[in-house]
Amino acid sequence: MTVGELVLETLSTGVITEDEVTWLTDHLQTFSRPEEAAAIRLGRLMDDGQVNLGCRVSKRWLHHREVLVDWIEPLGRHS
């Protein structure tokens, strides 16, 4: 994992996991200045409520929901 990957994932989902926060704090002293600034920005976004501590739903589950809503329910085969 890199800080850049983490920032992109967090900003695109609005969620940061507890493990990711732990990774950030454990590696903070090894970050370059831009990486450190990005980590601090994530913290501020959490403080503002724009990024929430939580978990992400797997893409597989989301695909299942799309299939259920788009294909199965219209056919009347849901319980």
Side-chain angles (χ1 to χ4, degrees):
M1 173 177 352
T2 67
V3 176
E5 291 170 338
L6 180 57
V7 167
L8 290 176
E9 184 70 21
T10 300
L11 293 178
S12 68
T13 62
V15 173
I16 189 166
T17 67
E18 187 176 344
D19 290 339
E20 291 167 341
V21 172
T22 301
W23 181 85
L24 276 173
T25 57
D26 288 347
H27 293 88
L28 193 58
Q29 59 272 33
T30 65
F31 293 161
S32 65
R33 287 187 63 83
E35 290 172 328
E36 188 176 336
I40 291 169
R41 180 71 179 136
L42 281 177
R44 289 187 179 142
L45 290 171
M46 289 175 66
D47 290 344
D48 292 342
Q50 295 179 23
V51 169
N52 297 298
L53 183 62
C55 64
R56 293 187 195 92
V57 177
S58 73
K59 289 179 171 76
R60 184 175 182 169
W61 188 87
L62 289 174
H63 177 70
H64 173 75
R65 288 293 303 156
E66 290 171 0
V67 169
L68 181 66
V69 170
D70 296 341
W71 293 94
I72 297 174
E73 287 180 359
L75 295 174
R77 297 184 187 164
H78 68 285
S79 49

